[in-house]
Amino acid sequence: MTQQLAVPDWPGVAASLVLVAGTAAIAYREQLHLTRDLLVAAVRAGVQLVAVGAILLIVFRHTGLPGALAWVVLMVVIAGQVAGRRGAGLPHANRSATIGVAFGSSITLVTLILLHVISTQARVVVPVGGMIVSSAMQSTGIALRRLVEDVRRARDAVEARLALGLSAHRSFLPNQRSALRTALIPAIDSTKVVGLISLPGAMTGLILAGVDPLTAIRYQIVVMYMLLAATTLAALAATRVAERTLFDGAQRLVVLPDLTR
């Protein structure tokens, strides 16, 4: 017989603040100048999660799949803005990041739904979509940041290839591949050691909810595969879009602004 998960009540949640207080005390004692940031982050996280929980309660009960998809779209827009900041200096970085996140997330999520891997219930689509969008956001941000670094560091090499008659795409291809490799390494490494170093979030949540470990493993395998797809597709789309903004009409590499000044 499956035991019901014992979820902490609100007094229990309040009691967990002792962990935040301890962390803040250590930061203050060690003069890390992070005490205020830690406290603000803790309060902000609590407020945001309560607000999101209330909204999701409405989405799950009243809006169904359309509401769930609308929520995923909102997550994509926010993720695009966050990832775009990693590519600060690139022309239209936010647009490149948003397109990348949207491309990777939509293809991955739609594939899972069409193949009946996940159900179309809002309470399934929203958390699964959140994991997909988050993974796509991280890989996109890493890829765009690497592009910025390569454009500045390898400018002479790119211009040399242009001078030899190569197209803008061929001249920049080695740098694009480098950015993609950098973006995909964290996801690949996580997939290699899944279950050996730590139990991933989806599997842990199901086990805590009383689901049989072998059943939880099936869901986690799907999660790892979908995250690999989302990270790859998102980083690829973002770098391709960003590449188009790095060259002018005469196929000359643009000069990026120096944001360190």
Side-chain angles (χ1 to χ4, degrees), residues 66-133:
L69 293 178
W71 188 263
V72 173
V73 170
L74 177 61
M75 289 192 290
V76 167
V77 173
I78 296 174
Q81 300 303 304
V82 174
R85 296 192 195 112
R86 299 295 182 185
L90 287 175
H92 310 294
N94 286 351
R95 185 183 69 183
S96 299
T98 302
I99 291 175
V101 173
F103 182 77
S105 301
S106 59
I107 289 183
T108 304
L109 185 58
V110 169
T111 299
L112 291 176
I113 292 175
L114 291 180
L115 294 179
H116 304 290
V117 177
I118 63 172
S119 78
T120 55
Q121 291 180 315
R123 65 177 56 252
V124 175
V125 173
V126 170
V128 171
M131 287 188 286
I132 292 172
V133 172

Side-chain angles (χ1 to χ4, degrees), residues 44-238:
R44 179 175 173 176
V47 172
Q48 286 177 177
L49 287 173
V50 170
V52 169
I55 295 173
L56 289 181
L57 189 62
I58 298 174
V59 171
F60 293 165
R61 290 182 176 178
H62 304 291
T63 65
L65 182 59
L69 293 178
W71 188 263
V72 173
V73 170
L74 177 61
M75 289 192 290
V76 167
V77 173
I78 296 174
Q81 300 303 304
V82 174
R85 296 192 195 112
R86 299 295 182 185
L90 287 175
H92 310 294
N94 286 351
R95 185 183 69 183
S96 299
T98 302
I99 291 175
V101 173
F103 182 77
S105 301
S106 59
I107 289 183
T108 304
L109 185 58
V110 169
T111 299
L112 291 176
I113 292 175
L114 291 180
L115 294 179
H116 304 290
V117 177
I118 63 172
S119 78
T120 55
Q121 291 180 315
R123 65 177 56 252
V124 175
V125 173
V126 170
V128 171
M131 287 188 286
I132 292 172
V133 172
S134 176
S135 181
M137 176 189 71
Q138 293 175 13
S139 66
T140 298
I142 293 173
L144 293 183
R145 183 171 183 174
R146 182 57 186 267
L147 278 187
V148 173
E149 294 173 352
D150 278 4
V151 169
R152 293 195 170 109
R153 183 178 61 248
R155 184 179 186 87
D156 291 343
V158 174
E159 291 181 339
R161 288 191 286 268
L162 287 171
L164 292 173
L166 273 67
S167 65
H169 173 68
R170 296 294 300 176
S171 297
F172 198 68
L173 190 57
N175 306 94
Q176 183 190 78
R177 288 172 175 167
S178 175
L180 286 174
R181 283 194 296 268
T182 302
L184 297 183
I185 284 175
I188 294 173
D189 287 346
S190 297
T191 304
K192 286 180 179 179
V193 299
V194 63
L196 298 177
I197 296 179
S198 65
L199 296 180
M203 182 177 174
T204 300
L206 290 171
I207 291 176
L208 288 175
V211 175
D212 182 86
L214 291 179
T215 302
I217 284 172
R218 294 203 305 268
Y219 212 102
Q220 186 60 52
I221 291 173
V222 171
V223 169
M224 298 307 298
Y225 291 168
M226 76 183 189
L227 296 185
L228 273 178
T231 54
T232 302
L233 293 172
L236 177 61

